[in-house]
Amino acid sequence: MSLNIPALPFDYPLDMARAALVIIDMQRDFIEPGGFGETLGNNVALLEAIVPASQAMLAAWRQAGGLVVHTREAHKPDLSDCPPAKLNRGSPALRIGDVGNMGRILIAGEPGNQIIDALAPVAGEIVIDKPGKGAFYATGLHEMLQQRGIQQLLFMGVTTEVCVQTTMREANDRGYDGLLLEDCTESYFPQFKAATLEMVRAQGGIVGWTAPSTAVLRALAAL
Ligand code: C5J
């Protein structure tokens, strides 16, 4: 049975048995005051603002028995999975592997690399450490989803135009139908978020669909 989700560019037929909620990089260093994102001069309040809607979506999804995937942008402590092309760009003031206010930046296991408490994974949920911006690169995520018969991916998380959009495009190329939850994703640059939403749903859904989380919540409540 599929649930009809009002979405753009047209309705999304959600089949819970074949769908997963993918929560991208809701990590302390990107979202919390004092973390990597704020140290670089970004207004993290923009990202914090999506937490309540994301919590409500996650709670409803869990209640409906849906599969949840969490990702973290995380590198090995020796940085052997971080190519120079990634390491040497970004702000020279604070680079991947440097010590920030919440431990080493984007290094697995460090306090700042953890998912925020409000959206912490629970037993049975998939947690992916990804060295790239996209969640499919060098992670085995595609195989994990295929083993579980997943064909539809609903996306939340940060930042919209970087890790969320990259992952959504990777998913699209692998044959998944992606739906981006508009109020559960954010960027440090509001114009980049707006542009990403437009790009995703342009040309008949060239990358996928977008919808407010309330559209999914209403459908799940009717289950
Ligand atoms: C993510 C980034 N998660 N903006 N990372 O989008 O570098």
Side-chain angles (χ1 to χ4, degrees):
M1 185 192 84
S2 74
L3 302 169
N4 189 57
I5 310 295
L8 289 173
F10 52 89
D11 290 357
Y12 185 88
L14 174 62
D15 177 354
M16 287 301 292
R18 298 190 311 129
L21 178 65
V22 182
I23 309 174
I24 305 282
D25 300 1
M26 291 296 284
Q27 293 165 256
R28 297 185 60 205
D29 249 331
F30 292 128
I31 294 163
E32 291 186 4
F36 178 43
E38 188 175 74
T39 306
L40 294 180
N42 298 300
N43 176 10
V44 293
L46 288 168
L47 272 55
E48 278 184 298
I50 67 164
V51 172
S54 303
Q55 266 187 304
M57 184 64 219
L58 176 57
W61 193 261
R62 283 173 173 158
Q63 176 78 23
L67 179 67
V68 180
V69 178
H70 304 260
T71 73
R72 297 181 290 223
E73 188 170 350
H75 292 277
K76 295 178 181 165
D78 66 2
L79 293 176
S80 57
D81 58 356
C82 186
K86 184 174 185 186
L87 191 58
N88 296 334
R89 278 187 272 136
S91 168
L94 200 56
R95 290 227 156 107
I96 297 169
D98 288 350
V99 178
N101 292 332
M102 297 184 195
R104 292 182 68 204
I105 303 299
L106 297 189
I107 299 299
E110 297 288 331
N113 205 245
Q114 305 310 311
I115 292 167
I116 58 170
D117 286 346
L119 299 171
V122 299
E125 296 178 346
I126 296 174
V127 182
I128 299 278
D129 277 345
K130 60 184 185 57
K133 301 303 184 191
F136 287 86
Y137 169 67
T139 62
L141 175 59
H142 182 52
E143 291 71 23
M144 289 179 223
L145 295 174
Q146 291 302 294
Q147 277 163 13
R148 291 165 174 81
I150 299 297
Q151 281 301 310
Q152 300 184 328
L153 300 177
L154 277 64
F155 291 100
M156 319 200 295
V158 299
T159 60
T160 314
E161 78 282 11
V162 184
C163 291
V164 176
Q165 180 172 211
T166 302
T167 301
M168 201 167 170
R169 288 176 181 272
E170 287 182 329
N172 192 44
D173 283 348
R174 286 165 176 77
Y176 298 93
D177 283 328
L179 170 64
L180 178 55
L181 298 172
E182 296 160 5
D183 52 329
C184 299
T185 184
E186 196 47 86
S187 169
Y188 298 125
F189 308 96
Q191 70 275 26
F192 290 171
K193 173 181 173 177
T196 301
L197 296 180
E198 290 293 333
M199 283 189 271
V200 162
R201 61 196 179 209
Q203 301 178 73
I206 196 161
V207 179
W209 287 256
T210 77
S213 61
T214 48
V216 180
L217 293 177
R218 268 188 223 110
L220 293 181
L223 268 181

